[in-house]
Amino acid sequence: MELTQSLQCLQPSYIREILAVAGDPNTISLAGGLPAEQSFPMPIFQSIMSQLANDSSLFQYGPTQGYAPLLDYCDQHFSLSPTDQSLVTTGSQQGLDLIARAYLNPSDGIVMEAPSYLGAVQVFELAQARIIQVDQTSDGPDLTQLEQCFAQHSPKLFYAVPDFHNPTGVCWSLAVRKQVAQLCRRYDVVLIEDAPYRELRFAGEMLPMVSELCPEQAIVLRSFSKYASPGIRLGVITGESHYIHPLITLKQASDLHSSLPMQALLLGLLTHDHFPQHLQAIRALYESRYKILASAIAEYLPDSCSAWPIEGGMFLWLILPTCDVNTLAKTLLKNGVAVVPSSVFYPAHMEGSYSALRLNFTNAEPEALVKAVSRMASALAGEV
Amino acid sequence: MELTQSLQCLQPSYIREILAVAGDPNTISLAGGLPAEQSFPMPIFQSIMSQLANDSSLFQYGPTQGYAPLLDYCDQHFSLSPTDQSLVTTGSQQGLDLIARAYLNPSDGIVMEAPSYLGAVQVFELAQARIIQVDQTSDGPDLTQLEQCFAQHSPKLFYAVPDFHNPTGVCWSLAVRKQVAQLCRRYDVVLIEDAPYRELRFAGEMLPMVSELCPEQAIVLRSFSKYASPGIRLGVITGESHYIHPLITLKQASDLHSSLPMQALLLGLLTHDHFPQHLQAIRALYESRYKILASAIAEYLPDSCSAWPIEGGMFLWLILPTCDVNTLAKTLLKNGVAVVPSSVFYPAHMEGSYSALRLNFTNAEPEALVKAVSRMASALAGEV
C-alpha cells in the first residue's frame, strides 16, 4: 500500500541506527540522549505507585487536556496568566507533532537553529514545512541572519532550544533572548520555545525564558523526561489559550489523552517533599560527569579539537578540524565509541557548516567517559 | 495564528459537549462509552504496581515498537504469523491516527459503515480523506452497496468494527465476514478491523475475525481500554510487517513510544492467574446490565421503539419512529437523561438514514438504567 506523500519524506533516524549498533557491550555509547537511570527517583516512585492503585478513577477515561490537579500545578508552578492554558502531552515529542499538525501547512516557513534537534526536524519534515536555517553561535542564533530570515521568508514559527541546546549545549545570553523576543514581535513570528533541559543547570545563573519576554508570541514545550522519567512519556505545552485550544482538539483525535496514572505519578513526584533534593542530586551528578568528560578531552585530544563550554544540559559539542564526520563516526564505532556526527543535526538537504561530534555525558559512568575519550584520541591520531 | 486546512475541517466532538452537560448529578448518563469503574482489576493492579517501581529500566526511554515482553505476548496470544508485526500504541485512537497519516492522502477513499465510530470519522476527516458510507444492517454492512462502492470508488481502506459495533452493537454474521474478506481481496481494499469490544461477548458464539479470513489484506486494531483500563491508554496494531513498519517510523515522530510502566502493568494483568476470572466478571456484569436495560425498554417504551438485540459490547441501538433526533436528545437531557442521537455518528455532511439513539449500558447502575428508561418514556409520551 502506498504511503502518504508526507510519510515518504520522513527519513529513518540515523541516531536510532547508531544506537542499535551501540548496544554492543564492548562499545561505549556517548551517542544517545538518555538520562542516567541511577538518577531516577525510584524510592519516591515506589511510595506513590503503591497508592495509585487505590484510586480506580485514575484508570478510567480522563480529560484530553490533562489530569486536573496536574494542570493546576502547571498553572501555579509555571506562573501562567489567566489567559494561558496548559495541555499535557505524551512526551514533548507529541507536543511538537501537535504544533506542526495544527499550524504548518505544506510549504509554510519554520525557522530552526542549525544544527537542531532531530526529533523536531522529523516532525517539521513530516508536515512538509519549509525549514529555514539560522546558524547557532556560542551564545545563541546569529541575530543578523535571523532578522534577514524573518524579513525575507515571513515564517510562521521559530523553533528554538534556548537552554542547553541539543546538540550544541549552547545557552542563549540574556541579550540574545531580549533581541529574539523583539524580533518575534516585530515580524509576528510565533516562538516555539522547547525547554527540556532548562532544569538541568549546574553552573551560572538561571536566565528568563525567551517566552517570558514575548508571552503573547510564544508557545512553550516542557518535558518531564529529563528530571522525572522519560519512560512515563509526559510533557506539557503552555501558551495563550487561543494557541493551545486547537491543540486540545487535535490531541483528542490523536490519542484522547495521556496516561492518567502516569500523570498522577508525576504530580506526586513534583509535589513530594524530597523533590528539591532529587533535582539537586541530578544536577550534581551531571556536573561531575561533564567535568570528567571535559578534563579527559583537554588531556587526551589534540588542541585542534575544542569543546564548547556548557553550564547544564546533557550534551557537549566537540568541534573538530574540518573532516568527513560520517566516516569519522564510523571509525570511532570500530574503535568502540559511539558518537553522533554533526551532519545528522541538519535537515536532509543541508550541509553542516563545521565538523563536530555530539557527546552525551549523562548516561556513561566516569571511567567509561575517560576510556571513550582515550579511544577517540587513538582513532583521531590514526594509531589504529 | 491560522490553523492548517486539515484542522479547520475537524469538528469539535458533539459527544464531548453532551458529556459536559451530562456531568450534572441529577442527569443519568447513557451517553458516554465508559466501562464500569467497578470492573477495573484494582487488586491485581495493586500487586503489580508496587513491583514496577523496583525496575528502574521501565522508567528509561524504551523502544518505539513497544515493551519487548508485551510484544512477545501479542505474538503468541494473537497467533501472529512470522511475517506479522505488532505496534503498541497510546490507545487504539492513536492506532487509527497513525494509519490515517501513513496511508490516506487528501481525497483518498475510505469506506466506513454508516453509522460509524466518531473517533474514526474524526481522524479520517483530519486526513482530508474521501469518506464513503455503506449502510449497516442488523448483521453487518449491506454487501451489495459495499461491492458497488469498492467497484466504483476504488477505495484504499475499509474501516469496520465487526464485533459489537459502535454505535449499533451489531455483530457481523459469519457469512458476512466471509463475503467481506472476499470483496477486500477481489478489489484490493485493505480492511482496518477495529476490535475494541471483541472480548466483551456475553452471549452467542465467538466468530473468526474478518482479518483472519484475509490476513494479507488487513490491519487489526485492538484496545485494552474495555477490559483492562482506558486510563492507561494502550492499544496494539497488528498486521503484515510491510503495513506496520511505516507506522513505527511515524510513531517515533509522534510520541517516541507509549508509557513503559503502563505497558508492564498491562502485561502483568494479561498474564495474571486471575485474569480469566476478571474477564468473566466483566462479561457477567455487562450482560446483567444489558438485560435490565432491554427489559426496561420492553416494559416502558411504546412498541414503535425497538432495540436491536446484541450479544456483547457496550451499546444498545434504539430505533425510533422517524423524528428530529437532535431535538429529542435535548428534550431527554432536560428530563434528566443523556443519550447520543444517531445524527452524530455520520460524517458532517451526511444524513442518517433512520432515527435512533445510542444507549450505553456499562456505566450506569441497574436502578439508574431503569429510571433512565422511565424518564425517556415520559419524554417520548410528551407528558412533560
Side-chain angles (χ1 to χ4, degrees):
Chain A
M1 192 161 42
E2 201 183 32
L3 297 174
T4 51
Q5 279 153 17
S6 60
L7 192 52
Q8 285 173 27
C9 298
L10 194 68
Q11 300 294 316
S13 160
Y14 184 95
I15 291 188
R16 290 250 150 181
E17 286 175 38
I18 290 180
L19 288 180
V21 189
D24 178 339
N26 296 318
T27 300
I28 300 169
S29 177
L30 311 184
L34 277 60
E37 214 164 289
Q38 72 202 74
S39 77
F40 296 163
M42 300 313 294
I44 303 180
F45 281 164
Q46 256 153 9
S47 70
I48 305 168
M49 293 277 277
S50 57
Q51 288 164 30
L52 290 184
N54 294 326
D55 183 358
S56 63
S57 73
L58 292 173
F59 293 81
Q60 186 55 283
Y61 282 109
T64 299
Q65 193 181 348
Y67 178 52
L70 180 60
L71 293 172
D72 290 344
Y73 172 90
C74 291
D75 281 353
Q76 291 193 0
H77 189 72
F78 302 135
S79 308
L80 300 189
S81 86
T83 58
D84 285 345
Q85 243 181 336
S86 306
L87 167 62
V88 176
T89 56
T90 308
S92 251
Q93 185 68 33
Q94 187 189 39
L96 274 171
D97 191 40
L98 293 176
I99 290 169
R101 294 177 77 184
Y103 294 115
L104 292 173
N105 278 312
S107 84
D108 276 351
I110 175 152
V111 180
M112 305 181 79
E113 297 154 286
S116 195
Y117 168 53
L118 199 66
V121 174
Q122 270 192 324
V123 298
F124 301 141
E125 284 185 343
L126 194 60
Q128 300 178 278
R130 187 166 39 100
I131 299 176
I132 310 147
Q133 284 188 294
V134 168
D135 284 335
Q136 179 79 310
T137 76
S138 61
D139 66 350
D142 180 310
L143 294 172
T144 314
Q145 270 187 41
L146 189 68
E147 177 154 18
Q148 273 175 0
C149 167
F150 281 8
Q152 204 177 324
H153 296 282
S154 307
K156 222 168 164 181
L157 306 175
F158 174 30
Y159 170 81
V161 185
D163 286 289
F164 320 123
H165 179 256
N166 176 1
T168 63
V170 161
C171 184
W172 295 9
S173 68
L174 183 59
V176 167
R177 287 169 196 248
K178 286 180 178 167
Q179 288 178 75
V180 169
Q182 270 186 356
L183 289 175
C184 285
R185 281 189 162 138
R186 192 176 311 149
Y187 292 93
D188 192 22
V189 174
V190 174
L191 174 74
I192 309 299
E193 181 163 19
D194 194 1
Y197 312 110
R198 186 168 164 83
E199 274 74 16
L200 300 184
R201 177 183 283 281
F202 46 69
E205 253 180 60
M206 184 86 118
L207 297 170
M209 296 187 80
V210 186
S211 50
E212 291 171 35
L213 308 171
C214 56
E216 80 297 346
Q217 202 67 28
I219 300 174
V220 180
L221 292 159
R222 288 180 177 90
S223 168
F224 301 106
S225 295
K226 307 307 191 279
Y227 62 92
S229 145
I232 64 172
R233 309 300 311 123
L234 290 173
V236 65
I237 317 182
T238 57
E240 293 203 349
S241 66
H242 63 94
Y243 292 134
I244 304 301
H245 195 259
L247 303 177
I248 300 174
T249 309
L250 184 54
K251 182 172 165 72
Q252 192 191 321
S254 301
D255 65 4
L256 293 184
H257 64 83
S258 298
S259 162
L260 218 49
M262 295 291 90
Q263 294 184 61
L265 175 68
L266 175 65
L267 181 66
L269 170 68
L270 298 173
T271 55
H272 196 278
D273 285 348
H274 294 165
F275 180 64
Q277 288 101 297
H278 161 67
L279 212 48
Q280 209 38 58
I282 296 183
R283 290 179 185 136
L285 178 71
Y286 289 177
E287 178 175 26
S288 73
R289 291 191 174 182
Y290 163 61
K291 284 185 170 166
I292 288 162
L293 179 63
S295 304
I297 287 170
E299 185 175 346
Y300 292 107
L301 296 192
D303 290 347
S304 55
C305 301
S306 65
W308 281 8
I310 57 168
E311 298 186 331
M314 298 173 61
F315 303 108
L316 184 144
W317 191 239
L318 184 69
I319 313 266
L320 305 169
T322 304
C323 66
D324 176 344
V325 286
N326 292 330
T327 305
L328 177 62
K330 279 177 195 154
T331 306
L332 290 173
L333 201 55
K334 277 188 206 140
N335 284 274
V337 188
V339 299
V340 188
S342 51
S343 55
V344 164
F345 300 101
Y346 296 88
H349 53 291
M350 294 164 181
E351 271 300 306
S353 52
Y354 43 73
S355 303
L357 301 175
R358 186 189 79 172
L359 308 183
N360 168 262
F361 55 82
T362 61
N363 194 42
E365 299 288 335
E367 317 79 65
L369 288 168
V370 176
K371 205 181 226 175
V373 177
S374 115
R375 286 182 186 175
M376 286 169 65
S378 308
L380 284 167
E383 286 174 22
V384 283
Chain B
M1 192 159 44
E2 200 184 32
L3 297 174
T4 51
Q5 279 153 17
S6 60
L7 192 51
Q8 285 174 28
C9 300
L10 193 67
Q11 300 295 316
S13 160
Y14 184 94
I15 291 187
R16 291 250 151 184
E17 286 174 39
I18 289 180
L19 288 180
V21 189
D24 178 337
N26 295 318
T27 300
I28 299 169
S29 177
L30 310 185
L34 277 62
E37 215 164 289
Q38 73 204 71
S39 77
F40 296 164
M42 300 315 291
I44 302 180
F45 281 163
Q46 257 154 9
S47 70
I48 304 168
M49 293 278 277
S50 58
Q51 289 164 30
L52 292 184
N54 294 325
D55 182 358
S56 63
S57 71
L58 292 174
F59 293 80
Q60 186 57 282
Y61 282 111
T64 299
Q65 193 182 347
Y67 178 50
L70 180 58
L71 293 172
D72 290 344
Y73 172 90
C74 292
D75 281 352
Q76 289 191 2
H77 189 73
F78 302 134
S79 308
L80 301 189
S81 86
T83 57
D84 285 346
Q85 242 180 337
S86 305
L87 167 62
V88 176
T89 56
T90 308
S92 250
Q93 186 68 32
Q94 186 189 40
L96 273 172
D97 191 39
L98 293 176
I99 290 169
R101 294 177 78 185
Y103 295 114
L104 292 173
N105 278 311
S107 85
D108 276 351
I110 176 154
V111 179
M112 304 181 80
E113 295 153 288
S116 195
Y117 168 54
L118 199 65
V121 174
Q122 270 192 323
V123 299
F124 301 140
E125 283 185 344
L126 194 60
Q128 301 178 277
R130 185 165 41 97
I131 298 176
I132 309 146
Q133 284 189 296
V134 167
D135 285 335
Q136 180 78 313
T137 74
S138 61
D139 65 350
D142 180 309
L143 294 171
T144 312
Q145 272 187 40
L146 189 68
E147 176 153 18
Q148 272 174 0
C149 168
F150 281 7
Q152 202 176 328
H153 296 282
S154 306
K156 225 169 162 179
L157 304 175
F158 174 31
Y159 170 81
V161 185
D163 286 289
F164 319 123
H165 178 255
N166 177 357
T168 62
V170 161
C171 183
W172 296 9
S173 68
L174 182 60
V176 167
R177 287 168 195 250
K178 286 181 178 166
Q179 288 178 74
V180 168
Q182 269 186 356
L183 288 174
C184 284
R185 281 190 162 137
R186 189 175 314 149
Y187 291 94
D188 192 23
V189 174
V190 174
L191 174 75
I192 309 299
E193 181 163 19
D194 194 359
Y197 312 110
R198 186 168 165 82
E199 275 74 15
L200 300 184
R201 176 183 284 279
F202 47 69
E205 251 181 62
M206 182 87 117
L207 296 171
M209 297 186 78
V210 186
S211 50
E212 289 171 37
L213 307 173
C214 57
E216 80 296 345
Q217 203 66 29
I219 300 175
V220 179
L221 292 159
R222 288 181 177 88
S223 167
F224 300 106
S225 294
K226 308 307 189 280
Y227 61 93
S229 146
I232 64 172
R233 309 299 313 121
L234 290 174
V236 66
I237 316 181
T238 57
E240 293 204 349
S241 67
H242 63 95
Y243 291 134
I244 305 300
H245 195 260
L247 303 177
I248 300 173
T249 308
L250 184 55
K251 181 171 166 75
Q252 191 190 321
S254 302
D255 65 2
L256 294 184
H257 64 83
S258 299
S259 164
L260 218 48
M262 293 292 92
Q263 293 184 60
L265 176 68
L266 174 64
L267 181 65
L269 170 66
L270 298 174
T271 56
H272 196 280
D273 285 348
H274 295 164
F275 179 65
Q277 287 101 297
H278 161 67
L279 212 48
Q280 207 40 56
I282 296 183
R283 289 178 187 140
L285 178 70
Y286 290 177
E287 179 176 24
S288 73
R289 292 190 173 180
Y290 163 61
K291 285 185 169 167
I292 288 162
L293 179 62
S295 303
I297 287 171
E299 183 173 350
Y300 292 106
L301 296 191
D303 289 347
S304 55
C305 301
S306 65
W308 282 7
I310 56 168
E311 298 186 332
M314 297 172 63
F315 303 108
L316 184 143
W317 192 239
L318 184 69
I319 313 265
L320 305 169
T322 304
C323 65
D324 177 345
V325 285
N326 291 331
T327 305
L328 175 62
K330 279 177 195 154
T331 306
L332 291 174
L333 201 54
K334 277 188 207 140
N335 285 275
V337 188
V339 299
V340 188
S342 51
S343 55
V344 164
F345 300 101
Y346 296 86
H349 54 291
M350 296 165 178
E351 271 300 307
S353 52
Y354 44 74
S355 302
L357 301 175
R358 187 189 77 173
L359 308 183
N360 168 263
F361 55 82
T362 61
N363 194 43
E365 298 289 334
E367 315 79 67
L369 287 169
V370 176
K371 204 181 227 176
V373 177
S374 113
R375 287 181 186 174
M376 286 169 65
S378 309
L380 284 168
E383 288 174 20
V384 283

